[in-house]
Amino acid sequence: MQDDTLRIDRSAKTLRTLALERMREAIMDFHFQPGERLVERPLCDQLGVSRSVVREVLRQLEAEGLVQMIPGHGPAVARPDLGRTDEIYELRALLEGIAARACALSATDGQLAILEHALSELFEAWASGKPPAVMRATTKFYDALFEAADKRVAWEIVSGLNVRINQLRSMTIASANRREPAIAEMNAIMNAIRARKPEEAEAAARRHVESAWKIARTALQPPVA
């Protein structure tokens, strides 16, 4: 007789994954605002899934830092912490700068072609005006950048922070007048890499992060009474 106790329920796993992706995007796209309570029953109705799936999704989002448990109130969309935000941007500036420098020094022509294509897709995403598309394309660009730089450990660190980075990135993307400066900054990174100028590539990558950092800090500052 076959023992099915360890058999994976693929349909349930797929449903949970889809619900997780939908909730993550909804938070990034500000469908749910920072601090907003996430009530299980309405979420079940909106997502079309069971309460157990919603609970699993909320636990995963809590582990990712997108949801926080508020005593006496339950789960809510996490408000980014200013101190941790500074730390995340410090790490981004350092690691992305290192990757851009290494890419300018050692990337092959084939790797540069992949990077150019990823940048083109990123600009198309910006033109679409859809923040989730911009975030996916941005992640793809940096994946190609770190791969071409042969900085796999650094990319693992960045990937581990990507959910929180994207939460902050969604704030900067939504900021007025961010699109054109961001495109110019990304072009500056690519131009320096293409010209094989490592110092300029590193400086351009750091400037790009620092520009986004300023916007995020402004958005997170408490209102003046």
Side-chain angles (χ1 to χ4, degrees):
M1 181 175 179
Q2 185 176 357
D3 183 359
D4 290 336
T5 56
L6 297 180
R7 182 178 294 275
I8 295 172
D9 187 341
R10 288 178 172 81
S11 60
K13 181 180 179 181
T14 300
L15 191 62
R16 176 190 177 278
T17 299
L18 291 172
L20 176 60
E21 291 174 353
R22 189 64 56 85
M23 280 295 297
R24 194 184 285 127
E25 285 191 1
I27 291 172
M28 301 293 187
D29 205 23
F30 297 105
H31 180 81
F32 300 109
Q33 297 294 317
E36 183 177 345
R37 288 185 62 204
L38 299 170
V39 183
E40 287 183 8
R41 175 47 58 192
L43 288 178
C44 291
D45 295 338
Q46 291 176 56
L47 294 168
V49 299
S50 68
R51 184 165 289 187
S52 63
V53 170
V54 167
R55 287 173 179 169
E56 289 178 29
V57 166
L58 291 176
R59 281 196 294 268
Q60 178 60 36
L61 292 173
E62 183 182 7
E64 294 176 358
L66 293 180
V67 166
Q68 61 186 135
M69 297 301 297
I70 301 176
H73 293 280
V77 179
R79 299 179 185 274
D81 177 82
L82 188 56
R84 292 192 178 187
T85 296
D86 284 346
E87 187 176 356
I88 287 171
Y89 277 106
E90 286 171 353
L91 285 170
R92 274 195 60 196
L94 176 64
L95 296 176
E96 291 175 20
I98 289 171
R101 166 186 280 271
C103 190
L105 283 170
S106 62
T108 67
D109 289 343
Q111 288 172 326
L112 290 184
I114 293 171
L115 196 59
E116 295 269 17
H117 181 68
L119 185 62
S120 176
E121 290 186 336
L122 175 54
F123 291 163
E124 289 176 8
W126 271 104
S128 76
K130 299 177 181 178
V134 176
M135 287 184 284
R136 285 192 293 269
T138 302
T139 298
K140 185 175 180 179
F141 172 82
Y142 281 108
D143 187 2
L145 176 69
F146 280 80
E147 176 68 24
D150 196 25
K151 298 295 181 184
R152 293 180 179 85
V153 174
W155 179 242
E156 287 176 8
I157 295 171
V158 173
S159 295
L161 294 169
N162 249 349
V163 172
R164 295 186 183 186
I165 287 172
N166 278 339
Q167 185 185 28
L168 298 167
R169 186 172 281 144
S170 66
M171 297 169 61
T172 61
I173 290 170
S175 175
N177 303 318
R178 177 56 184 155
R179 176 183 165 184
E180 295 305 321
I183 289 174
E185 291 157 9
M186 297 298 289
N187 271 325
I189 296 169
M190 195 67 234
N191 289 341
I193 291 172
R194 194 184 297 115
R196 304 292 185 179
K197 295 180 177 180
E199 290 80 9
E200 290 184 18
E202 180 175 8
R206 292 182 69 92
R207 280 196 302 272
H208 176 62
V209 174
E210 288 161 4
S211 177
W213 189 353
K214 290 178 183 177
I215 294 173
R217 282 188 64 87
T218 299
L220 292 173
Q221 291 290 347
V224 178

